[in-house]
């Protein structure tokens, strides 16, 4: 009983003491909160001009003599004494980090509640009926889940700590609403080249430059070139100052050093490790040179001199690149020259007796389908034959005659004996060994391509015309037993069966070709002359041509061609590249049968804008132009149509590293 009574009296004595302790704690916490809230309200009030929805507007402030501009002046005066991160610590904090003054998702237990509208100094999302509400937990003072119309306004998703960098920012992003106006919260983050803040106004170049900044490749190389350009301009003027011999020597050494570096390096990766120090030394020397009063005329003259030299150098490189381009597209690639040499060596190693054809009787059989190819390119000839055979309904009646020169003759012989093309027959002829009655031994002349440009007052255009060479006019004499042939150029890929060409009725015409009406004969007056042809006629293209040799012999067109060549030579005193163009167009005047456009699509060697559907529907693809498919310069999206008919697993292709 005593124990129970004693225990009861002790508990009753402890209750008043506990209440007193709780009251003291609450009082202390209240003082702490007020001591933190008052400086915050004061600072934010100065910064925002005390413009809150519940207080007088800008008009009222102006009437009372209180101007926001005065507050800005006060802030600027107090700026040096305030910590640099004062607004970073109190105005904007990242989400989920601030448990002091700003919290992003929970309940305000202290002063401000986030559930309804605050009509006084701080506004959130719902109404605060008292000082403390217990919907959720916020351990700080200010909640930022929605809009704050008083001291701080910002979407919770946009609350990020301000970063001093040069990334582009927009004037409407991360804004602070003050007195109905929207002010940028990050105006100080966008800097110009000197490190000063950009002036925020419409059309500011400083802001545009930061927003549209691009990463420059090899920026250090370009910087060094600029430094070298400026140093060269100042050096003559500094060298004339007797008292600045040391600076003159320093500039000279830096110029020589950068010239040596740039002669060995074209990209940033090629630069030496100590290039940063060298750049800083050059920059310091240029700064010293700019500090002296020199004659501006001398500097101007030197800059103009360097500019002229640079322009001359640019023109030289432009001409050099044009020459190298022509050299690259008109010569055989090194890998294909290797292929020809490897095959020639192999031909003589194994002996030619094993390579004699066993189907020689087919070469002169007029009942078969004969195709003529003039080429010194092994791979191109192989693709033409392979693509033709792959799409033929019957390959046994196809005979291909490849006419080449003595340099590639043995390589061609070995290549076509090692590779089979279904049941088709391939004959390789050396044009230098062909014996003709009225002519000396012929030389290989490939079909010629002409680049014709037309210029008017409004626009200009360039077209490519492919035409027969002098050797084509010997076909009736080389193939005396044949009456009809199809001439294919080496830059052609066949995509459809060509057997219908042999039953084509050309109405007594000699040459079945695709017409090229983009260039009419009247537009070639400078080549053809004024008379002797219909100016409205379209020119025609070689590449895929059906030739009636019997009609050709009857009209003796070879003689007509030779007479036109002699006429042109007598007029100009010599034979030119355009001689074959004029002679061919006039020889076949009125003797061209227009094939349907679907038989051949040309332009794959120069035109980047051909329609993909037209390419798929064309019977043959003609890569006329400079950008042949076997060259590295060829148009990539057209190469696939050519490469799929090439046997890349051949041993000799691997030896010569051929991978078109």
């Amino acid at each position: 009983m005593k124990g129970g009574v004693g225990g009861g009296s002790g508990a009753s004595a402890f209750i008043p003491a506990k209440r007193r302790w709780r009251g003291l704690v609450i009082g202390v916490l209240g003082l702490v909160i007020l001591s933190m809230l008052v400086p915050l309200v004061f600072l934010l009030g100065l910064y925002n001009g005390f413009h809150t929805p519940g207080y007088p507007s800008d008009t009222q402030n102006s009437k009372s003599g209180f101007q926001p501009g005065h507050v800005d002046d006060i802030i600027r005066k107090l700026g040096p004494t305030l910590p640099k991160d004062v607004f970073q610590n109190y105005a904007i904090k990242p989400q989920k980090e601030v448990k002091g003054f700003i919290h992003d998702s929970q309940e305000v237990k202290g002063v401000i509640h986030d559930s309804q509208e605050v009509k006084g100094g701080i506004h959130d999302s719902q109404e605060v009926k008292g000082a403390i509400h217990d919907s959720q937990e916020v351990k700080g003072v200010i909640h930022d889940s929605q809009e704050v119309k008083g001291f701080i306004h910002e979407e919770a998703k946009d609350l990020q700590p301000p970063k001093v960098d040069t990334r582009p920012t927009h004037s409407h992003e991360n804004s602070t609403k003050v007195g109905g106006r929207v002010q940028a919260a990050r105006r100080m983050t966008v800097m110009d080249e000197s490190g000063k803040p950009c002036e925020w106004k419409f059309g500011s170049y400083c802001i545009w430059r930061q927003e549209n900044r691009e990463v420059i490749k090899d920026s250090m190389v370009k910087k060094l070139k600029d430094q070298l350009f400026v140093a060269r301009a100042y050096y003559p003027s500094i060298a004339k100052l007797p008292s600045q011999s040391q600076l003159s020597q320093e500039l000279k050494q830096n110029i020589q050093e950068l010239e040596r570096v740039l002669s060995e390096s074209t990209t940033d990766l090629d630069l030496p490790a100590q290039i940063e120090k060298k750049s800083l030394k050059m920059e310091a020397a240029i700064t010293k040179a700019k500090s002296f009063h020199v004659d501006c005329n001398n500097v101007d003259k030197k800059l103009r001199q360097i500019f002229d030299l640079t322009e001359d150098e640019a023109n030289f490189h432009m001409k050099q690149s044009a020459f190298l381009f022509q050299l690259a597209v008109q010569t055989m690639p090194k890998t294909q020259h290797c292929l020809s040499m490897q095959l020639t060596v192999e031909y003589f190693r194994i002996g030619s007796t094993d390579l004699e054809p066993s189907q020689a009787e087919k070469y002169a059989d007029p009942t078969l389908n004969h195709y003529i190819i003039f080429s010194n390119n092994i791979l191109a000839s192989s693709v033409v034959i392979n693509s033709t055979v792959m799409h033929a309904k019957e390959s046994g009646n196809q005979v291909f005659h490849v006419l080449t020169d003595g340099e590639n003759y043995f390589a061609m012989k070995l290549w076509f004996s090692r590779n089979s093309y279904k049941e088709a027959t391939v004959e390789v002829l050396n044009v230098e060994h062909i014996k003709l009655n009225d002519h000396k031994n012929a030389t290989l002349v490939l079909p010629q391509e002409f680049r014709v440009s037309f210029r008017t007052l409004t626009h200009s255009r360039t077209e490519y015309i492919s035409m027969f060479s002098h050797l084509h006019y010997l076909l009736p004499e080389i193939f005396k037993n044949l009456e009809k042939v199809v001439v294919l150029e080496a830059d052609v890929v066949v995509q459809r069966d060509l057997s219908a060409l042999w039953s084509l009725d050309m109405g007594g015409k000699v040459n079945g070709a695709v017409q090229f009406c983009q260039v009419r004969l009247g537009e070639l007056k400078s080549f053809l002359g004024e008379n002797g042809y219909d100016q409205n006629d379209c020119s025609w293209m070689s590449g895929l041509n059906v030739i009636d040799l019997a009609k050709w012999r009857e009209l003796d067109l070879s003689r007509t061609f030779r007479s036109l060549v002699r006429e042109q030579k007598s007029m100009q005193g010599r034979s030119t590249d355009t001689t074959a163009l004029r002679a061919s167009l006039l020889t076949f005047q009125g003797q061209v049968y227009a094939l349907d456009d679907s038989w051949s699509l040309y332009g794959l060697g120069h035109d980047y804008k051909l329609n993909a559907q037209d390419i798929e529907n064309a019977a043959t693809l003609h890569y006329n132009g400079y950008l042949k498919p076997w060259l590295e310069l060829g148009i990539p999206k057209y190469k696939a149509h050519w490469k799929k008919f090439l046997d890349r697993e051949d041993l000799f292709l691997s030896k010569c590293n051929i991978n078109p």
Side-chain angles (χ1 to χ4, degrees):
M1 293 296 293
K2 289 182 180 180
V5 174
S9 61
S12 62
F14 177 74
I15 292 174
K18 185 175 182 181
R19 291 177 179 175
R20 288 194 300 271
W21 176 81
R22 182 178 299 175
L24 182 61
V25 170
I26 293 175
V28 171
L29 290 176
L31 290 175
V32 171
I33 293 173
L34 289 176
S35 64
M36 298 172 67
L37 182 60
V38 170
L40 174 64
V41 173
F42 175 74
L43 291 175
L44 295 179
L46 284 177
Y47 183 72
N48 297 323
F50 295 101
H51 294 280
T52 62
Y55 287 90
S57 63
D58 293 342
T59 307
Q60 294 172 340
N61 285 339
S62 61
K63 291 180 180 180
S64 62
F66 181 79
Q67 297 293 340
H70 296 167
V71 176
D72 295 336
D73 294 338
I74 295 173
I75 292 177
R76 283 193 292 271
K77 292 178 180 179
L78 296 177
T81 63
L82 296 175
K84 295 181 179 179
D85 57 350
V86 61
F87 294 108
Q88 181 177 351
N89 292 335
Y90 291 93
I92 303 176
K93 278 290 184 178
Q95 299 180 17
K96 301 182 181 179
E97 288 186 3
V98 181
K99 295 184 179 179
F101 298 114
I102 302 175
H103 193 276
D104 60 340
S105 64
Q106 299 181 3
E107 177 191 1
V108 178
K109 286 188 177 181
V111 178
I112 299 174
H113 177 255
D114 64 330
S115 59
Q116 294 185 7
E117 179 180 349
V118 178
K119 299 182 179 180
I122 301 176
H123 174 270
D124 207 292
S125 61
Q126 297 183 9
E127 182 181 2
V128 179
K129 296 182 179 180
I132 302 175
H133 193 277
D134 57 356
S135 63
Q136 291 182 4
E137 185 181 27
V138 171
K139 297 182 180 179
V141 176
I142 300 176
H143 184 270
D144 61 279
S145 62
Q146 296 183 9
E147 180 185 9
V148 178
K149 294 184 178 179
F151 303 122
I152 300 176
H153 163 57
E154 190 164 12
E155 292 294 331
K157 63 181 181 179
D158 290 332
L159 285 179
Q160 297 292 339
K163 301 178 181 178
V164 182
D165 56 14
T166 58
R167 294 182 302 173
T169 58
H170 302 278
S171 58
H172 63 275
E173 183 181 356
N174 298 332
S175 59
T176 302
K177 182 176 280 190
V178 180
R181 299 189 308 272
V182 176
Q183 297 180 354
R186 299 186 188 177
R187 292 187 177 183
M188 301 294 291
T189 61
V190 182
M191 304 292 182
D192 60 13
E193 293 180 349
S194 62
K196 297 180 180 179
C198 292
E199 183 179 357
W200 285 80
K201 63 180 180 180
F202 181 77
S204 172
Y205 170 74
C206 180
I207 299 173
W208 178 89
R209 182 175 179 273
Q210 298 297 337
E211 291 178 348
N212 296 274
R213 180 183 293 273
E214 296 181 359
V215 178
I216 301 176
K217 295 182 179 180
D218 303 321
S219 58
M220 178 55 70
V221 171
K222 295 179 181 179
K223 179 181 178 181
L224 295 177
K225 289 181 178 180
D226 292 341
Q227 289 179 343
L228 186 60
F229 190 89
V230 176
R232 285 172 174 172
Y234 275 92
Y235 174 73
S237 299
I238 298 299
K240 294 179 181 180
L241 301 177
S243 60
Q244 300 302 323
S245 59
Q246 183 177 357
L247 178 58
S248 176
Q249 184 65 21
E250 184 180 355
L251 275 174
K252 182 178 180 180
Q253 291 178 354
N254 289 331
I255 290 173
Q256 292 175 348
E257 183 66 20
L258 288 191
E259 287 177 344
R260 184 188 63 80
V261 171
L262 292 176
S263 66
E264 300 174 355
S265 306
T266 56
T267 63
D268 286 355
L269 297 177
D270 301 333
L271 295 173
Q274 303 297 326
I275 193 61
E276 290 285 351
K277 294 182 179 180
K278 295 178 182 179
S279 177
L280 292 175
K281 287 174 60 179
M282 173 62 88
E283 189 67 32
I286 293 174
T287 303
K288 291 180 184 178
K290 289 181 178 181
S291 64
F292 291 99
H293 296 285
V294 297
D295 189 358
C296 294
N297 291 329
N298 293 336
V299 178
D300 179 68
K301 290 179 181 178
K302 187 62 178 178
L303 285 173
R304 291 181 183 276
Q305 180 184 3
I306 297 175
F307 177 79
D308 292 339
L309 291 174
T310 305
E311 187 176 13
D312 293 341
E313 185 178 359
N315 291 333
F316 167 76
H317 286 297
M318 182 178 64
K319 294 178 181 178
Q320 185 184 50
S321 63
F323 169 76
L324 293 176
F325 175 81
Q326 293 289 335
L327 186 65
V329 300
Q330 294 181 5
T331 58
M332 181 178 293
K334 180 178 64 175
T335 54
Q336 295 193 29
H337 181 72
C338 167
L339 176 64
S340 179
M341 295 298 100
Q342 290 280 351
L343 290 171
T344 302
V345 172
E346 183 68 13
Y347 176 89
F348 288 102
R349 188 186 68 83
I350 63 177
S352 60
T353 54
D354 299 332
L355 303 175
E356 293 300 325
S358 58
Q359 298 178 332
E361 66 278 1
K362 291 185 177 182
Y363 296 161
D365 189 349
T367 62
L368 301 179
N369 298 340
H370 294 264
Y371 297 88
I372 311 298
I373 302 173
F374 294 90
S375 175
N376 60 358
N377 191 316
I378 299 172
L379 295 182
S381 305
S382 178
V383 168
V384 175
I385 297 175
N386 194 26
S387 61
T388 305
V389 171
M390 292 294 292
H391 293 93
K393 295 179 180 178
E394 296 182 7
S395 61
N397 61 350
Q398 292 182 329
V399 180
F400 294 89
H401 305 271
V402 181
L403 284 77
T404 186
D405 54 8
E407 181 181 348
N408 297 280
Y409 171 70
F410 299 104
M412 288 271 196
K413 290 273 289 184
L414 179 61
W415 176 270
F416 288 110
S417 65
R418 295 180 71 251
N419 295 275
S420 60
Y421 301 90
K422 290 189 175 181
E423 299 177 359
T425 303
V426 180
E427 178 190 20
V428 180
L429 295 174
N430 184 355
V431 296
E432 299 173 4
H433 294 167
I434 297 176
K435 296 181 179 180
L436 303 175
N437 296 330
D438 300 331
H439 305 281
K440 297 179 181 180
N441 291 347
T443 57
L444 179 65
V445 182
L446 299 178
Q448 295 177 291
E449 294 185 346
F450 300 91
R451 181 174 178 267
V452 184
S453 297
F454 303 94
R455 295 183 181 179
T456 62
L457 295 176
T458 57
H459 67 283
S460 62
R461 61 187 177 94
T462 300
E463 303 292 349
Y464 291 81
I465 303 177
S466 181
M467 199 60 56
F468 283 170
S469 68
H470 296 73
L471 191 59
H472 285 72
Y473 293 90
L474 299 178
L475 288 177
E477 302 178 47
I478 296 175
F479 302 98
K480 296 179 180 180
N481 297 328
L482 302 183
E483 297 182 356
K484 193 174 187 179
V485 296
V486 172
V487 180
L488 296 173
E489 290 191 9
D491 55 356
V492 168
V493 172
V494 179
Q495 298 189 127
R496 204 166 69 201
D497 181 30
L498 301 181
S499 58
L501 294 175
W502 301 99
S503 58
L504 189 66
D505 182 9
M506 296 194 299
K509 305 292 183 181
V510 177
N511 183 6
V514 176
Q515 287 191 322
F516 188 61
C517 291
Q518 285 86 337
V519 179
R520 296 187 180 272
L521 299 186
E523 296 177 301
L524 301 173
K525 290 182 180 180
S526 58
F527 304 114
L528 305 181
E530 296 289 340
N531 303 316
Y533 58 91
D534 187 353
Q535 296 187 4
N536 292 323
D537 283 354
C538 299
S539 59
W540 54 274
M541 294 282 289
S542 65
L544 172 67
N545 300 90
V546 184
I547 303 298
D548 187 346
L549 292 179
K551 190 69 174 179
W552 186 315
R553 297 186 187 97
E554 179 183 340
L555 298 175
D556 200 2
L557 294 183
S558 297
R559 183 178 179 180
T560 304
F561 176 80
R562 288 191 288 270
S563 64
L564 288 171
V565 171
R566 287 193 297 268
E567 177 186 343
Q568 183 78 2
K569 188 181 297 185
S570 63
M571 293 173 57
Q572 298 183 352
R574 59 187 177 88
S575 179
T576 62
D577 294 337
T578 59
T579 301
L581 174 63
R582 178 180 183 274
S584 292
L585 291 175
L586 295 181
T587 296
F588 289 102
Q589 179 73 12
Q591 296 298 326
V592 176
Y593 174 80
L595 296 177
D596 189 84
D597 291 342
S598 63
W599 278 108
S600 182
L601 178 66
Y602 39 78
L604 280 80
H606 65 89
D607 191 351
Y608 287 81
K609 300 179 181 180
L610 293 178
N611 186 276
Q613 191 63 36
D614 293 340
I615 294 176
E616 294 296 330
N617 295 336
T620 61
L621 303 178
H622 190 187
Y623 290 81
N624 66 309
Y626 292 146
L627 308 178
K628 302 300 183 183
W630 54 83
L631 299 175
E632 292 185 4
L633 297 174
I635 302 176
K637 62 180 180 180
Y638 302 151
K639 280 188 175 183
H641 302 284
W642 185 85
K643 292 194 293 186
K644 65 183 179 181
F645 297 107
L646 185 64
D647 183 10
R648 302 187 198 177
E649 298 181 357
D650 190 274
L651 176 63
F652 289 96
L653 297 185
S654 301
K655 285 183 178 181
C656 294
N657 195 25
I658 295 179
N659 185 22

